[in-house]
Amino acid sequence: MASLLPFPTDWQTALVLVAHPDDPEYGMAAAVARWTGEGKRVVYALASSGERGIEGLTPGECGPLREAEQRASASIVGVDEVEFWGFPDSDIRNVPELRDKVAETVERVRPQVILSLFGGPEWAPGAPNQSDHMEFAAAVLDAYDALDSPPSWLFENGPSATHGVDVEDQVEAAVRALAAHDRYLSVLDPDTPVLDQARAQIEMATAPRDDDPRHVTGFELKRGRPA
């Protein structure tokens, strides 16, 4: 697949580990839709409920709303196992409690593949990453490294992709999944229709490469055996 290696296929269960609601939809949902369509099991686990993510709403109002939007979004791409861990939105830290929760979830779900967030400082020059994302990604890596029998692979969804998933047929599902975060997106950019916001983001995240016309979701191999 152009300069990217093909994503491994010899697995049955993937665990998506992210910090907030909508994190899976900004980069991974198209690939998830392909995998669930092939009969694979994908589980979402979110450190927080994103309870500080919508201006004008209290955490008590926002958290349940964002959980509901995340569950609706996940169902669009074939995911019906979604859990929220209750760590504080906007104050996620790589602490023992978070690493322990990652390890407990991995041992319970028993995935062959872990998909996590990009943990680098910048997506591109002048485009800084969020502290929650960096701390969370570091916790996932540390927890993985401490496991006695870790899953075969740990990938991050970020700008330095090593492996790619052809998602040409899943772009529309990914757009609908992101658009399911309707309240969040409508407050984030009230001047742009939610569906337009979602389509622009998914097109950017899966943009065809210069030497390949297909839409692709990219992942960087961080741990595990060569794929």
Side-chain angles (χ1 to χ4, degrees), residues 6 16-17 46 61 65 75 85 105 115-116 123 130 153 168 170 177 181 183 198 208 222:
V16 173
L17 298 174
L46 297 88
E61 295 169 319
L65 171 63
S75 70
W85 294 344
T105 305
L115 303 166
S116 184
W123 282 87
Q130 295 182 34
W153 302 280
E168 187 67 29
Q170 288 77 35
H181 295 275
R183 184 71 175 274
K222 303 294 289 189

Side-chain angles (χ1 to χ4, degrees), residues 3-4 10 28 66 80 93 110 120-121 124 142 176 223:
S3 60
L4 298 180
D10 54 332
M28 304 188 220
R66 297 203 71 195
D80 58 12
R93 306 292 179 190
R110 302 181 64 83
D142 289 347
R176 290 188 286 110
R223 297 287 192 274

Side-chain angles (χ1 to χ4, degrees), residues 14 16 18 20-26 28-37 40-46 65-84 170 172-182:
V16 173
V18 296
H20 317 102
D22 80 35
D23 284 344
E25 286 68 51
Y26 269 86
M28 304 188 220
V32 170
R34 173 167 179 169
W35 294 326
T36 60
K40 296 182 185 297
R41 175 192 180 206
V42 180
V43 178
Y44 284 1
L46 297 88
L65 171 63
R66 297 203 71 195
E67 287 188 9
E69 288 190 338
Q70 181 60 70
R71 293 185 189 280
S73 175
S75 70
I76 291 170
V77 293
V79 174
D80 58 12
E81 296 176 79
V82 182
E83 57 186 70
F84 302 88
Q170 288 77 35
E172 288 304 313
V175 170
R176 290 188 286 110
L178 181 52
H181 295 275
D182 180 76

